[in-house]
Amino acid sequence: MRHVIIALGTSFAALLTPASAQVQPAPPITSTSVELPPGDALFPGGSSADAINNNCLACHSADMVLNQPVLSRSAWDSEVHKMIKAYRAPIDEGDVPAIVDYLASIKGTN
Amino acid sequence: MPLHRNDQHVQALSRRAVLKTIGLAGLALAGSSAWADQSMRLPFASGPQERPITHDFPQKGPMILQRTRPPLLETPMEVFDRGVFTPNDQFYVRWHWAVIPTSVDADAFRLAVRGHVNQVLSLSIGDLLKMPRVELAAVNQCSGNSRGFFSPRVPGAQWAHGAMGNALWAGVRLKDVLDRAGIKSGAIQVRFSGLDEPVVPEAPDFRKSLDIDHARDGEVMIAFAMNGEQMPLLNGFPLRLIVPGWYSTYWVKMLSDIEVLDRADDNYWMATAYTIPDTPHANITPGQTGVKMIPISRMVPRSFFTNVTEGASLPAGASAAIRGIAFGGDTSVAKVELSMDDGQTWQPATLGEDHGKYSFRRWQVTIPQLAKGHHSLMIRCTSLSGDVQPATPNWNNSGFMLNAVETAHVTAA
């Protein structure tokens, strides 16, 4: 088995193998600035999507929710409560039924 | 400068975002990209199967768009056919929280080492560059890679097989950094955190921990380079933890904080998220309850076709070179085998160059002349520890650790 970890530097000279002679010098590490796409498209459906648009876009974009497979209504209910409990989504309990209705209507089983 | 940082009112932010969408960005997203109409079909048993191909992410080429914010970008399968190392600009991307710094100053950046140590450290990139350097080829794979193929399907990122990649990582040993700080006796785990933050302040920050002996095993490393270059920001610039043989959830990106703990970490991302049933192959029956759950850890063997896709046509009456990639999980690939009779008999594949036990390994099989009609090709990897890909897919609620034998149905015409 070839050496997979190749150490450089004098204190590790004992581990050097011929293969390690080819280890690259460290590349320059330079400051980086980027721009990310906003990902702020809305859930489709007009007013039937108001509750989900008001409550479910703060932490992540709609596309991943729309990419989910169909799930049962109770599975969608658990998802919404997972967002509230585990991820501290600030959602009014009063909005939950409208959100679950929306998800069950576009992504519900039967 | 963080993107999408939340102040006090998430709802206010989301309403602002909504207005912005209607005003400008929504139109831009819908209409301006030259690739807006490029999409790809993922071969899941049920929909949605269509995903956009995006060119809109910095330092990234064409990627399968699973989620825009925070980004989930999947590597198209054909990229793995081009070489054993996955190019940085098509290496998959996966973030949990949307507050991701979009600007990192390489001179000002510091890595903190603190907690149960003799001396707190604040290391610059320059400090790390002066330490003994190591290089390692290793596969980075999401715990939920291939989740979209679970049956029955489960919620989560609906990845096909491209939430994985192989790179040559260069950096320093975690052990050397910990030794420099001096670990106090009684240390139990080491916890890692990056520059990303939750959108809501009270929400659980993404942090992961390794047992102290694992952290000090001399293999776990802090990488500053990926395939000979600094990392793309979305892959963790400037520093990423490399945990060879373990799922990517531990490979903390934009690593900025190392905390030695004198107790086991019970934070959400260790104790609740990323846990698997403590059963063979993390397998349970749908609906099964009362199962002991443990943190996900070591990877298991997998193998893939890279030059034939599901439903492909091959010329009848001609032989064909079928190839792909495999990896052993937490150890080397011992063998890769192909079956053309639904798994009754297996023929060995020729293995490509060995880049070490944590790397992808390319494989190739020349199959004899195909008779006209439908054929199924199956590919199976066995690791050096004797772990073999199962014929029947495993299942669990989170969609983790799928590693069943892959089958490609092809037609010879």
Side-chain angles (χ1 to χ4, degrees), chain B residues 133-194:
Chain B
R133 193 175 315 143
V134 289
E135 267 190 11
L136 176 77
V139 173
N140 170 293
Q141 181 188 209
C142 180
S143 309
N145 191 24
S146 315
R147 182 181 288 114
F149 296 104
F150 266 62
S151 172
R153 295 186 64 177
V154 293
Q158 300 299 313
W159 303 110
H161 298 312
M164 62 174 185
N166 185 42
L168 184 63
W169 310 95
V172 301
R173 295 170 206 263
L174 174 61
K175 177 181 191 300
D176 293 346
V177 169
L178 292 174
D179 285 352
R180 212 163 139 171
I183 293 177
K184 287 189 180 160
S185 73
I188 304 288
Q189 285 195 325
V190 183
R191 176 153 72 187
F192 307 90
S193 176

Side-chain angles (χ1 to χ4, degrees), chain B residues 10 26 53 99 201 204 267 304 340:
Chain B
V10 171
I53 298 292
V99 182
N267 104 74
F304 301 94
M340 295 180 63

Side-chain angles (χ1 to χ4, degrees), chain A:
Chain A
M1 174 64 30
R2 83 181 39 221
H3 282 89
V4 289
I5 289 214
I6 301 157
L8 291 183
T10 45
S11 53
F12 288 83
L15 290 179
L16 288 173
T17 66
S20 68
Q22 284 137 38
V23 170
Q24 304 291 314
I29 309 294
T30 55
S31 298
T32 300
S33 287
V34 301
E35 258 183 69
L36 297 178
D40 48 12
L42 295 173
F43 285 91
S47 63
S48 72
D50 280 352
I52 197 165
N53 280 326
N54 284 333
N55 288 291
C56 302
L57 290 174
C59 297
H60 47 70
S61 49
D63 43 4
M64 185 254 242
V65 179
L66 296 168
N67 283 338
Q68 297 302 304
V70 295
L71 297 173
S72 68
R73 194 185 169 86
S74 74
W76 279 123
D77 190 73
S78 312
E79 274 299 316
V80 173
H81 283 101
K82 175 181 173 183
M83 298 304 130
I84 296 170
K85 282 201 204 83
Y87 300 132
R88 310 295 165 88
I91 296 173
D92 265 0
E93 259 310 311
D95 281 345
V96 171
I99 298 169
V100 175
D101 280 349
Y102 175 84
L103 290 164
S105 74
I106 65 157
K107 298 219 147 269
T109 41
N110 61 58

Side-chain angles (χ1 to χ4, degrees), chain B residues 89-140:
Chain B
D89 71 344
Q90 287 192 291
F91 207 98
Y92 86 101
V93 168
R94 196 261 182 270
W95 291 86
H96 298 80
W97 289 115
V99 182
I100 302 168
T102 50
S103 182
V104 176
D105 180 331
D107 297 322
F109 178 88
R110 292 291 180 277
L111 170 64
V113 186
R114 62 192 181 93
H116 209 59
V117 295
N118 295 325
Q119 196 192 337
V120 169
L121 304 178
S122 173
L123 301 171
S124 66
I125 305 282
D127 293 333
L128 294 174
L129 288 172
K130 285 185 211 118
M131 293 178 67
R133 193 175 315 143
V134 289
E135 267 190 11
L136 176 77
V139 173
N140 170 293

